[in-house]
Amino acid sequence: MKNKSSEASEVVILERCWIVEFRSKPDVSIVLKFQSGEPDLYLEAASKTDCESWAVALGEANSEGLQNKIQQLRRLIMEIKEERSSDEARKFLPSSQVDSLGEPQFTSIQRIANEPKLEFSLACKDLVAATRDRKLNTFIQVSVVHPAEHILTRYSSTEIVEGTKDPLFLTGVTFPPEYPIYEETKIKLTVYDVKDKSQDTVRTSVLPDHKEPRADIGRSFLGCTTFRVADLVKSKEQQLTLTLRTSDGGKTVGTIEVNLVKMGELEDGETDHVTTDAQDQKCALVHECTATEGISGKDSLPSLSAVLKNPICKLYRFPTSDNKWMRIREQMAETTLSFHVPKELINLHIKEDMRRNQELKDLGELAPHWDNMRKSVIAHCDQMLSMYQDTLAELGKHTGSSFKSSCSKGEKTLEFIPINLHLQRMHVHSPRLKDALYDVITVGAPAAHFQGFKNGGLRKLLSKFEAERRNTGYQCIYYSPENTAKAKEVLSNINHLQPLISSHADLLLSSASQHSPDSLKNSLKMLSEKTELFVHAFKDQLVRSALLALYTARPGCVLKKPAMPRNSAEEGSDLQHQDHPSQIKRQDSIPHHSEYDEEEWDRVWANVGKSLNCVIAMVDRLLEKDNVSSTKEGENDPSAADCKVFHTGGDWYEQLYPLVITLKDCMEEVVTRAKQSMAFVLLQELACGLPQCLMLTLRRDIVFSQALAGLVCGFIIKLHAGLHDQGFLQQLHTVGLLVQYEGLLSTYSEEAGMLEDMAVGISDLQKVMFKVIEAKSEDFLPIITGRREHYVIEVQLPAKMFELLPQEIKEGKLLRMYPVLFNVGINEQQTLAERFGDTTLQENINQENLELLKEYYKLFTEKMPPDCLPHFQEQNDLKGLLENLHQNIQAKKRKNVEIMWLAATICRKLNGVRFTCCKSAKDRTSMSVTLEQCSILRDEHQLHKDFFIRALDCMRSRQTQGALNESDDPETGCLADNKPTSRHFYPVALLLVSSHLLVVWLILSLALLLAKYQ
């Protein structure tokens, strides 16, 4: 014993003694009593807090406590020695024996395919507080000791349960299928008492694993225990009751119950009570729900595992209104499509742009003005093509995570990649109801973040660009966006149909050489169908006018006569002069330095149809002669008939060959002229807006790439979930798929530009078609074909799953998408927009997409039978919901989140795909998704009304993420040190008083930011 400023005057040996602490408020003393009969030692502290801390310190400082710590250290030393001896033995063992000591020796946990390896729930009883008058606010931290490494890894935590010594935790523990956990794995459970909940939720996940949390950060250590996974899995009751002890292993501070959970199965054991709040209110006895029909996921495992990666699972159990348990498994997974789809798209862009550049070069000789224009366009296009190629090369080097974090949204090499694209799935197992899946795709708003939003987004930029093109004095020909799109469509049809017609023509000649009447008929049928499509593709005034414009761009052009549309009488006279392909003469290419006959195109175009008619007539004559000769020869000697057949076969090929060659020549002539004319149209589009036109194309490609990656992910997930739902599959090929986007962007500052980008990108998805094919290999990633404004996504399914599809889908019917976007800004920036800015953009987007949603519902009611919906009453419900949505949009109410809830409900009732987007798919998105999930549990699965807020807190709590440090957060993806210490947001009410205060606030915020980063 000693005073503060003196030497030690007495030493007290704490052995076989106990501590008596006086609990009266004015008394701050402690008495030490000894078993040996020594006089009591009376100690007095300066304050009650010091008295409590001295009591704890003295209790841990006795000799028995030190001996317990020594024993614990000895056990740790023995474990380390065993581990080292095992490692040393590996050096001297043969490789076969060394392998037997590796991971293969561990026993895997038996489980259902595509299901978590292990799930369990937790509850504590009779916890002992450090002081008797304190109410505990506890949570359990779960750590894993891997058998191969003997390293303690923090895995997850429960939520905080307040005000009880017998907490029952609603958050469970789940290990996903890919997690390396075995029967030999040890799991450590550590119980903490939270003194300051706000501090703990911030700091609990950044503590080093080897250090216990200090009391000064808001929580204190109560006790811990460890168990082997095998003990839980093999226990008869599938339940363990473990003793919680202090860190020295001596004092018992309560018990903890671990219950093995299997979704859809009956659990043994019952829960006595659930604390509803800090006042120790109890709800009635909660019984376990009976098993229900599960959701089959075994067949979809290979194809889904190719798309979804790195799942993070969370398990909850919530009481229902009739006092039964329902279990909820929440899963968040990355998708490989975040990089796969953009890379496929960029590759298609490169091919399309290379083909366009070559078509521009193949225009031939042009007048100096047009030739200089072409050179300038090709130079700019080559620069853009080089940029696409560089981006694709950089993406090919990417390794690591399969998603782009929000901190990378400004990186140029990743601008085609969607931000934080994840699947958020909620699997609900509730009493007396079938298991249900609720999927939401979360992704950052598709936008060109690297290019910035100084001049707005695509919606404004495209409108401004089109107005400037129409009104500027550029020396080029103006073609409307519709005509430009038509030119691209014609070129696409040419590139698609020409090789098909050539192949069918070759098959026709092959059938003729083999003298096969049936094969000849089939080949002729396919040739006729494709040729008719080819001819009709050029039935457009645009081709004729473009040919004339191209001729005027040639050096020394002279017009023979003014342009006049041809009538049917003139076309008929042409047909009379050319009855046989031998009379059809190939036209020269578009003449230079000569008179141009505008009717020449009509003759060239009509020659294709005439050539086809001649081929058809010849095949008919050959088949007719063959039937007559077969009848006659059949009456004579059979051997003579065989000889005749062989001879006739040679005549078939010889008679058809010149006609087929003529057809190909006429088609080649049409292709040459049409390609040049349409390429000239595209030249005008590019020349009128260089370089802005190419930059807008790039921006649109970037936004579309991000939007398409999310759409493909959503379609694949929805298809797998609905494979056994015949009503959904019928709806899919009869009407199409509704895709509803929930936007949470404000209409203020940069986010207004993001919203403009997002609106255009989602609208462009209307031109995407899906096709389901049977996979021919183990690669189940989707295949993308097509061109800008017309893409087809081929989704591959294993054979067993493909057989479940309707015949229409199996035959390759293209499936349409109906994307709709509803946006409601909800953050503080939206408050500024509503007070001082403009919300017209949001109102227009919501109104436009409401009309699209009504159009889809009209198609649905017209094409689908009344019994498609689960209940006939739901059709009336949908009408009411649509009318309610219409009224809310018209009301123009500030931050009207009812719009989002109504749109989401309509989407789910119409079997649609749900997306939730904000700037980075983090804060606002997570708040929206968790609120939606809890609302679904309340409305569809009878969640107990007293537990709505607690369920919401469980899903939103960062505490339950446990193992994730700030730098490992999949939705943050950036280092904690890089975050600003404050956001410089002052009370909005103060800013709304005067616009002068708003200016002052902006200046102060800018000054603070500059000072911080200097």
Side-chain angles (χ1 to χ4, degrees), residues 508-526:
L508 183 71
L509 292 177
S510 177
S511 301
S513 64
Q514 297 173 6
H515 195 271
S516 175
D518 293 337
S519 178
L520 192 68
K521 291 179 183 178
N522 293 332
S523 300
L524 180 63
K525 180 182 177 181
M526 297 300 297

Side-chain angles (χ1 to χ4, degrees), residues 949-962:
I949 299 299
R950 187 171 168 189
L952 194 59
D953 289 341
C954 285
M955 291 185 174
R956 288 179 174 176
S957 175
R958 281 190 54 85
Q959 182 80 10
T960 59
Q961 295 179 4

Side-chain angles (χ1 to χ4, degrees), residues 266 408 451 524 757:
L266 183 67
S408 303
Q451 297 191 20
L524 180 63
D757 276 358

